[in-house]
């Protein structure tokens, strides 16, 4: 295998290292010296208005980051991904989530198949299914309409659909959707306990259809469903076909489980789980918001794909945000990145991004198997503002670690509610603007003293400032904008992976735990020799469990 470029040996990397050496972040000074800074560093991608000006960058840094993109061949790698080359080398697969949102009539032939035609053929099946469930044409075993859909999946087969369902609640005029993911039986219990089985439809979503959690939950759901029918005296003949659908790349396993192949929607091994919400994995979302809104959602992704594919690096929002993340991770030793939506409907966005970014870029070897040359994947985390302000912002403002943060908000709220004369959305946005301002410009000791603060308290009340933020705004939280936000972070993640030389599309790091869990089951259930084979710590934990299990 061809050995890969060492990114730290590139000219651009040396340039960045030199720049960092003499770097004195001074957002106050930079804004004062350059009245056009905000204008020059505010970019547009689709409907997204992205202000990068409160980041720790100047023209020299920006120039070196753009050079870095060129030196690592970001354009060629992006084009290889978009063209369907097998850039996921450890699994020998194309990486084509961008094909999932290409418009009908486009064509992309990969490995001899027009993948866009396949995508639209499946979308039509999903849309037809969703229309029937939404209209009431689809009925359960007793002839009643479906009132609740339960999506059973985990990881990419859960986090995407649940995040988007929550984000687009104002558009959800179909049946209620619930999500079961955890193998903790509490999850399936809580999500089904008040449901009427005759009006419930399960969608089992699993790319592989072998995932322990999902298959266990699917079996528990089937048992719950059949027991419910028996209790109600309803015959079970043909009932599974009316109450279970599936989404998978393994349609043979779906059939083996007993789900009617007519209710099974496929996707392809070139769609990674964490990149799959825009495939049939989004079926539960389509049922909730309807095919037309889902089509707008896909169009939003496509707008950002087109931007990423064509905008010069200096104007390319995902590329610049990814390069900035590299600047912070590798030159400022930032080990985490906060994502702070000022939009309650995006309350699962950070959880979703955790899988997208950390399963993608949490790698210690490069795509050729050699060790990485520098730090990789930072921890992504976050909560909606303003809740986070009253919890962890203290550390972002005054802690000792640099935490770059993305603030996200929309201009028009879903619910324009007032508190007396006050438009509460304006109060909400005032907090967004205040926080990014405080983080950037801080408060000096002199300013603290001007407030008449006692000298012994001055240092505690100083805000150092120069804490980098990116502000992302959009007109409203529409299906298209949600698609745009997801695609933005997909391409940010890709850009970082290219710079680090890693394969952002495999996830071998989740395998060992799965194998060990299977091996440990006998030790827990009482197999003495399996217990004896465990290390002393694990054995002790299992013994504690066995002694205390009521
Ligand atoms: O859709 P599946 O095959 O059930 O996998 C669920 C999740 O499990 C993982 O493979 C990790 O174990 C994720 O990448 C994936 O999204």
């Amino acid at each position: 295998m061809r050995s890969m470029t060492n990114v730290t040996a590139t000219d651009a990397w040396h340039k960045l290292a030199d720049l960092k050496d003499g770097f004195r972040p001074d957002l106050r000074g930079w804004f004062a010296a350059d009245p056009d800074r905000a204008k020059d560093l505010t970019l547009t991608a689709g409907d997204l208005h992205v202000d990068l000006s409160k980041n720790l960058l100047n023209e020299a840094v920006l120039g070196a980051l753009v050079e870095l993109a060129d030196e690592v061949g970001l354009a060629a790698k992006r084009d290889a991904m978009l063209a369907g080359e097998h850039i996921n080398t450890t699994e020998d697969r194309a990486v084509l989530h961008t094909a999932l949102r290409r418009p009908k009539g486009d064509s992309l032939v990969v490995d001899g198949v027009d993948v866009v035609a396949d995508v639209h053929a499946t979308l039509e099946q999903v849309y037809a299914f969703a229309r029937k469930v939404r209209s009431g044409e689809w009925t359960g075993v007793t002839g009643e309409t479906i009132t609740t859909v339960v999506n059973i999946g985990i990881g990419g087969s859960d986090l995407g659909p649940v995040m988007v369902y929550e984000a687009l609640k104002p558009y959800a005029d179909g049946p209620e959707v619930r999500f079961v993911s955890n193998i903790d039986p509490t999850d399936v219990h809580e999500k089904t306990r008040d449901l009427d089985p005759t009006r419930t439809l399960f969608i089992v979503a699993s790319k592989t259809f072998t995932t322990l959690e999902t298959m266990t939950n699917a079996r528990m759901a089937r048992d719950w469903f059949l027991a419910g029918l028996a209790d109600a005296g309803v015959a079970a003949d043909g009932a599974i076909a009316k109450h279970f659908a599936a989404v998978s790349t393994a349609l043979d396993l779906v059939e083996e489980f007993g789900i009617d192949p007519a209710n099974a929607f496929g996707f392809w091994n070139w769609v990674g789980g964490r990149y799959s919400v825009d495939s049939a994995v989004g079926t539960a979302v389509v049922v909730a918001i309807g095919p037309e809104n889902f089509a707008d959602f896909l169009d939003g992704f496509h707008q950002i794909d087109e931007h990423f594919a064509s905008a010069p690096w200096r104007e390319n929002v995902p590329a610049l945000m990814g390069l900035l993340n590299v600047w912070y991770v590798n030159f400022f030793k930032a080990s985490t990145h906060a994502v702070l939506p000022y939009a309650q409907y995006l309350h699962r966005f950070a959880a979703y991004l955790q899988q997208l970014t950390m399963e993608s870029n949490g790698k210690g070897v490069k795509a050729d198997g050699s060790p990485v040359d520098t730090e990789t994947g930072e921890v992504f985390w976050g909560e909606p503002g303003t809740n986070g302000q009253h919890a962890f912002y203290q550390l972002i403002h005054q802690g000792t670690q640099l935490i770059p943060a993305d603030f996200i908000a929309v201009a028009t709220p879903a619910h324009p509610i007032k508190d007396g004369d006050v438009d509460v959305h304006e109060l909400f946005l005032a907090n967004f603007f205040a926080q990014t301002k405080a983080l950037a410009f801080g408060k000096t000791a002199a300013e603290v003293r001007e407030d008449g603060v006692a000298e012994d308290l001055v240092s505690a009340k100083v805000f150092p400032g120069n804490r980098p933020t990116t502000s992302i705004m959009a007109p409203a939280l529409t299906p298209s904008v949600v698609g745009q936000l997801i695609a933005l972070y997909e391409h940010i993640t890709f850009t970082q992976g290219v710079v680090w030389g890693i394969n952002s599309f495999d996830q071998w790091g989740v395998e060992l735990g799965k194998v060990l869990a299977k091996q440990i089951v006998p030790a827990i259930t009482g197999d003495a020799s399996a217990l004896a084979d465990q290390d002393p710590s694990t054995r002790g934990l299992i013994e504690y469990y066995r002694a205390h299990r009521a």
Side-chain angles (χ1 to χ4, degrees), residues 388-544:
Q389 291 176 203
H390 297 275
F392 53 76
Y393 278 36
Q394 164 67 39
L395 188 148
I396 308 181
H397 281 288
Q398 289 187 316
T400 55
Q401 303 186 24
L402 183 86
I403 302 183
D406 300 343
F407 282 67
I408 304 171
V410 297
T412 304
H415 310 290
I417 299 173
K418 288 196 165 197
D419 171 27
D421 288 342
V422 178
D423 178 332
V424 180
H425 188 65
E426 291 181 357
L427 200 54
F428 188 33
L429 289 192
N431 278 276
F432 170 121
F433 303 141
Q435 290 297 329
T436 52
K437 206 174 155 108
L439 287 162
F441 306 123
K443 188 166 185 177
T444 63
E447 287 164 345
V448 174
R449 286 190 187 101
E450 272 167 32
D451 291 346
V453 170
E455 196 54 35
D456 59 339
L457 290 181
V458 169
S459 60
K461 296 197 170 193
V462 165
F463 286 71
N466 294 315
R467 312 263 152 151
T469 60
T470 295
S471 297
I472 303 170
M473 296 197 69
L477 200 61
T478 59
S480 171
V481 164
V482 173
Q484 292 177 44
L485 286 171
I486 299 173
L488 170 66
Y489 281 91
E490 287 177 349
H491 300 320
I492 291 170
T493 303
F494 175 76
T495 300
Q496 292 181 244
V498 168
V499 173
W500 291 323
I502 58 184
N503 176 0
S504 299
F505 301 102
D506 61 10
Q507 57 285 318
W508 297 107
V510 296
E511 293 307 317
L512 180 60
K514 292 185 192 174
V515 171
L516 292 181
K518 280 197 183 133
Q519 288 172 3
I520 286 173
V521 168
I524 301 179
T525 51
D527 178 331
S529 79
L531 184 61
D533 283 347
Q534 303 302 323
D535 65 88
S537 166
T538 309
R539 194 165 54 240
L541 293 168
I542 295 171
E543 282 166 352
Y544 175 88

Side-chain angles (χ1 to χ4, degrees), residues 61-112:
V61 171
L62 198 55
L65 288 173
V66 166
E67 269 179 49
L68 182 64
D70 288 333
E71 276 195 77
V72 298
L74 180 59
K77 297 209 164 87
R78 171 199 63 197
D79 295 347
M81 172 175 74
L82 298 176
E85 285 180 30
H86 285 213
I87 64 166
N88 176 355
T89 44
T90 62
E91 296 178 311
D92 190 17
R93 287 175 181 170
V95 173
L96 271 176
H97 43 278
T98 50
L100 296 168
R101 51 263 193 156
R102 287 175 70 143
K104 198 170 184 171
D106 257 23
S107 165
L108 178 67
V109 178
V110 175
D111 303 331

Side-chain angles (χ1 to χ4, degrees), residues 154-157 206-208 211 214 273-274 355 359 507 510 514:
I154 197 165
S157 300
S206 173
K207 179 173 171 179
T208 54
T211 303
T214 301
R274 54 195 176 274
Q355 186 195 13
E359 210 172 62
Q507 57 285 318
V510 296
K514 292 185 192 174

Side-chain angles (χ1 to χ4, degrees), residues 37-223:
R37 181 180 171 89
K39 185 162 67 66
D40 290 347
L41 289 172
T42 297
L43 305 173
T44 302
D47 294 317
L48 306 179
H49 169 97
V50 181
D51 179 356
L52 299 174
S53 66
K54 293 195 186 86
N55 278 285
L56 304 184
L57 88 164
N58 53 28
E59 271 307 320
V61 171
L62 198 55
L65 288 173
V66 166
E67 269 179 49
L68 182 64
D70 288 333
E71 276 195 77
V72 298
L74 180 59
K77 297 209 164 87
R78 171 199 63 197
D79 295 347
M81 172 175 74
L82 298 176
E85 285 180 30
H86 285 213
I87 64 166
N88 176 355
T89 44
T90 62
E91 296 178 311
D92 190 17
R93 287 175 181 170
V95 173
L96 271 176
H97 43 278
T98 50
L100 296 168
R101 51 263 193 156
R102 287 175 70 143
K104 198 170 184 171
D106 257 23
S107 165
L108 178 67
V109 178
V110 175
D111 303 331
V113 177
D114 185 347
V115 295
V116 182
D118 279 3
V119 162
H120 282 276
T122 303
L123 267 178
E124 283 313 321
Q125 290 171 352
V126 170
Y127 288 173
F129 167 79
R131 283 196 182 99
K132 280 192 205 156
V133 177
R134 287 166 58 80
S135 68
E137 187 188 334
W138 182 290
T139 52
V141 66
T142 56
E144 301 248 46
T145 56
I146 299 299
T147 51
T148 310
V149 169
V150 180
N151 188 83
I152 301 177
I154 197 165
S157 300
D158 169 73
L159 287 163
V162 74
M163 183 277 281
V164 174
Y165 177 68
E166 291 296 321
L168 295 177
K169 270 273 170 68
Y171 294 83
D173 55 1
E176 182 201 0
V177 183
R178 297 182 183 186
F179 295 86
V180 172
S181 55
N182 203 336
I183 197 170
D184 182 339
T186 307
D187 201 11
V188 78
H189 170 77
E190 281 296 329
K191 303 291 171 41
T192 53
R193 69 188 168 87
D194 57 344
L195 294 182
D196 173 353
T198 66
R199 307 197 71 177
T200 302
L201 175 64
F202 292 95
I203 299 176
V204 185
S206 173
K207 179 173 171 179
T208 54
F209 228 69
T210 56
T211 303
L212 176 74
E213 291 87 344
T214 301
M215 300 326 297
T216 306
N217 278 326
R219 284 190 295 271
M220 286 194 287
R222 188 174 55 189
D223 290 350

